[in-house]
Amino acid sequence: MRQQQPFVVGVIVGSSRPGRRGPAVAGWVTEVLAQHPAVRAGEVTIELIDLAEHRLPLLDEPVPARFGDYRHEHTRRWSAAMAACDAFVFVTPEYNHSIPAVLKNGIDYLDAEWRGKPAGLLSYGADGGGRAAGHLRDILTEVGARVVDDHVELGLFVDFEWPGEDLSDPTAAARIAPGEDRAAAVTALLTDLLDAARDLVAVA
Ligand SMILES: Cc1cc2nc3c(=O)[nH]c(=O)nc-3n(C[C@H](O)[C@H](O)[C@H](O)COP(=O)(O)O)c2cc1C
């Protein structure tokens, strides 16, 4: 596995729809991670990566990613952004008991960029998005990422505030407001990622 100083952790925003909550959730994750001792010591940097900004079309590469023969500029840009990361935190909502198509598509585009790298999962949804996290774990395992055991869940009606909003309105704005225990779980996720990275180096 590529190792560099500082160690780069990419926090990936896994949704793309207008009005999505993904950037707020991932922004909160990066704020929490910024307080981690390894980040404060300059050993780790956190990169926020918004899949929506990459504007990847539905997979249009003729050669499967495992061969690394990328024909399109958008793939090479996405590849370079992921190759620059040593580990990942995937921030995914639950869509119909799974992950958003944009996230599955972004993963399918690449292979070596995920392989052998530690990955942590944070899901959110009406009841925490656990089914999406389960699917994501399987998908990332297939592309060779080392998904750490624990994942973090945020519930839409527990970890968000709905100031004066009508909850029956599906576009209602919510403010992310997770409790201290959720922040501690995100901090622990980064510790797990760093431990996994050390273990991988030790066996290499
Ligand atoms: C297409 C779609 C399907 C959804 N399906 C589920 C679901 O199966 N389980 C759940 O808990 N929430 C579900 N939700 C609610 C989302 O998890 C919630 O709206 C979340 O904020 C979506 O993430 P985003 O705002 O970043 O797009 C769904 C939302 C959408 C748009």
Side-chain angles (χ1 to χ4, degrees):
M1 186 178 65
R2 191 182 74 99
Q3 287 277 298
Q4 60 181 5
Q5 267 303 336
F7 186 88
V8 178
V9 176
V11 175
I12 299 179
V13 184
S15 61
S16 61
R17 71 184 177 94
R20 65 207 159 118
R21 304 194 172 100
V25 178
W28 171 77
V29 169
T30 58
E31 278 171 28
V32 173
L33 294 181
Q35 300 307 316
H36 190 285
V39 178
R40 292 170 72 100
E43 297 159 6
V44 174
T45 59
I46 307 296
E47 294 282 341
L48 189 60
I49 296 155
D50 190 349
L51 251 171
E53 287 176 5
H54 281 266
R55 297 194 165 277
L56 292 169
L58 282 175
L59 182 60
D60 63 352
E61 285 288 343
V63 181
R66 192 161 290 198
F67 297 91
D69 181 8
Y70 301 141
R71 308 286 173 87
H72 297 297
E73 186 51 33
H74 54 254
T75 312
R76 287 192 281 269
R77 266 200 311 274
W78 176 232
S79 167
M82 296 305 97
C85 298
D86 298 296
F88 304 98
V89 175
F90 287 85
V91 175
T92 184
E94 182 165 296
Y95 281 7
N96 295 322
H97 290 193
S98 190
I99 62 171
V102 69
L103 178 54
K104 177 66 162 60
N105 190 50
I107 295 168
D108 290 345
Y109 258 98
L110 307 179
D111 186 275
E113 297 81 351
W114 312 122
R115 204 158 283 284
K117 293 182 183 174
L121 312 182
L122 181 140
S123 61
Y124 57 101
D127 52 7
R131 290 160 297 221
H135 284 185
L136 184 53
R137 179 179 297 278
D138 286 348
I139 294 160
L140 290 171
T141 300
E142 170 57 17
V143 293
R146 310 300 174 96
V147 187
V148 300
D149 287 342
D150 291 338
H151 81 271
V152 184
E153 293 187 2
L154 300 181
L156 284 183
F157 305 111
V158 178
D159 298 302
F160 292 76
E161 288 172 352
W162 302 79
E165 296 287 356
D166 172 5
L167 290 192
S168 65
D169 173 1
T171 65
R175 204 169 36 231
I176 181 164
E180 284 299 313
D181 62 328
R182 300 297 75 202
V186 168
T187 302
L189 197 60
L190 179 53
T191 302
D192 287 351
L193 289 178
L194 298 177
D195 287 346
R198 276 186 212 103
D199 290 347
L200 287 167
V201 168
V203 296

